[in-house]
Every structure is written in C-alpha cells, then in structure tokens.
Amino acid sequence: MKNVIIVGATGATGKQLMQQLLNDVTIENIYVVHYRPTPFEHQDKVTEIIIDLANFDDLAITVDSAAEIDCAYCCLGTTRKKAGSLAAFRQVDKDYIVNFGTWVANHTKAQLHVISAVGANAKSASSYLQTKGETEQLLRQLPLSALYLYQPTLLHGKRDEFRLIEAVAYYPLAIISLLPFTLLKQQKPIAIEQLADAMYQLSQQVTSGHHVISSLEIQEY
C-alpha cells in the first residue's frame, strides 16, 4: 500500500487529481496539506493538515510516517490578479512550492510532481514565466529522488473563478495548434483533466532524476 501527500488539492487540477487518488485502491493514506479545511477532510483515507504554507517546517507528520510517503504532488498556482500583486503571486508560485519541495527532499524519499508552465524561463521578460523558471531552477537543486515538472500550455476546464484571458485565448490557440508544425501543436490548450491524469499516471512509475513533461506529452493523456 502507498502513501501520498498533496498540496493544492482544492484547485482545479488538484480536485481532479484527488479523485484519482481517492479511487486508487493501492493508496492507503493521502495527506492533504492546506491553509484551511477542505472538502476532503471526511474521506476515510485522508489526513488533513492545516498549516501556514509559508512555513512547511510546521508540517505535522512524524518522521517515520514521512519516510514512508511514496509520492508528493504540488498543484499550487494562482494568477497575479487573484493574488493581488506580483509579490503575492511569487509567494504562491515560487516560495510555497519551493518550501514544499524542500520539505519533501529533507523528510522523504518521495517523487515530487509539480505543475509549471510551457515557456518557463528564469530569464524571461514575462514575470509569470520568469517566476516559473526560477521555481524550476530551485527545485532542480534539491536532493529529490525524482522530480517531474509539468509544462502545460493554456489550461481549460471547470474552475471556481472565471479567467477572462483563458477564455479569450482558448479559440485562437486551438485553431493555431491544428497547423502541421510541432511548435504550434504544442500551443494546443490542455484540458485540466488531461494534466491531472498525466500526473497520476506518471506517478505510478518508479523512476529517478529530473523529468520535464511537455505540453505535447500531456496532450497524450
């Protein structure tokens, strides 16, 4: 039986991934880390841990239990508009993610699966892609048994909030991706369910090292 830990379980992708984890009969325990109670708190195999995401040192899992965690999932992510400022966005999409990755590296031998973005680059002129790139760089420096970085393009599907940019960009990107060029095919919007399925399916493998899962690869799920 396996044990897993997830942060960001209430987001669009996190919710989809949680359903797969809950339905997986080989998983005994799911540790859900969040800053407030979640809809999953009453599920039989869920142990909910409420902490300040700025300080993962407070994560209340015993050393023995942490050592037995097989897989860690990070589905954290926000937008600058929702966060309220660039600094607040970077706190969620960089600091919280790296803090979680550091805890995983220091306390477990688990694989770490993290949602990034296509075009992530620490030297990008885009603050969004720059933040994603910096986060990837910092995660690569951690002594993780295995690191999976998922780089989807525009995500589409059911969300708790309406995102105008996603709605406007969806159709142009969908049309462009039909052209017979690899670079353009990579721009095809990714269904949230596809990303969650890719994370779940790839986490079933026993691997080591760093893996970048491109938008084209995610489209296969």
Side-chain angles (χ1 to χ4, degrees):
M1 299 293 282
K2 296 184 295 185
N3 303 301
V4 303
I5 186 168
I6 179 171
V7 62
T10 63
T13 305
K15 287 179 181 178
Q16 294 291 332
L17 179 57
M18 275 297 294
Q19 291 307 311
Q20 304 229 35
L21 300 178
L22 289 168
N23 293 334
D24 188 337
V25 296
T26 70
I27 294 178
E28 183 175 13
N29 296 298
I30 304 173
Y31 296 99
V32 175
V33 181
H34 206 56
Y35 65 94
R36 63 183 179 186
T38 76
F40 306 108
E41 62 179 324
H42 300 301
Q43 295 285 343
D44 289 340
K45 58 184 178 181
V46 168
T47 298
E48 194 170 76
I49 303 167
I50 309 300
I51 65 168
D52 178 356
L53 296 182
N55 190 359
F56 276 95
D57 289 339
D58 292 339
L59 200 52
I61 299 178
T62 65
V63 173
D64 288 343
S65 296
E68 295 171 358
I69 292 175
D70 301 283
C71 197
Y73 303 94
C74 184
C75 298
L76 288 174
T78 187
T79 62
R80 182 170 176 172
K81 180 180 179 180
K82 186 174 182 180
S85 68
L86 176 59
F89 162 73
R90 286 174 62 83
Q91 182 179 45
V92 175
D93 276 52
K94 178 183 175 183
D95 298 344
Y96 289 176
I97 293 173
V98 174
N99 289 347
F100 178 61
T102 301
W103 184 90
V104 172
N106 290 341
H107 296 279
T108 80
K109 296 181 180 178
Q111 301 177 4
L112 176 61
H113 295 254
V114 179
I115 301 173
S116 183
V118 66
N121 188 332
K123 296 181 180 179
S124 174
S126 161
S127 58
Y128 177 83
L129 296 179
Q130 181 187 68
T131 300
K132 294 293 187 181
E134 291 175 354
T135 302
E136 288 192 4
Q137 283 187 346
L138 291 169
L139 291 173
R140 289 175 188 275
Q141 295 171 15
L142 298 174
L144 293 158
S145 65
L147 172 64
Y148 284 77
L149 297 168
Y150 296 81
Q151 296 185 338
T153 181
L154 181 76
L155 290 172
H156 71 94
K158 185 177 180 180
R159 291 187 182 276
D160 291 336
E161 81 278 359
F162 177 72
R163 294 188 178 181
L164 179 61
I165 293 177
E166 289 184 3
V168 171
Y170 174 79
Y171 290 105
L173 288 175
I175 293 171
I176 289 173
S177 68
L178 296 175
L179 298 174
F181 301 101
T182 301
L183 183 62
L184 296 180
K185 286 182 178 295
Q186 183 169 280
Q187 301 307 312
K188 182 179 179 180
I190 299 291
I192 291 169
E193 293 86 350
Q194 284 181 294
L195 176 56
D197 194 39
M199 296 179 74
Y200 172 74
Q201 294 293 343
L202 289 172
S203 68
Q204 306 307 302
Q205 303 176 8
V206 178
T207 58
S208 60
H210 298 164
H211 308 268
V212 176
I213 314 303
S214 70
S215 186
L216 282 174
E217 293 174 283
I218 298 170
Q219 289 176 31
E220 297 175 2
Y221 291 86

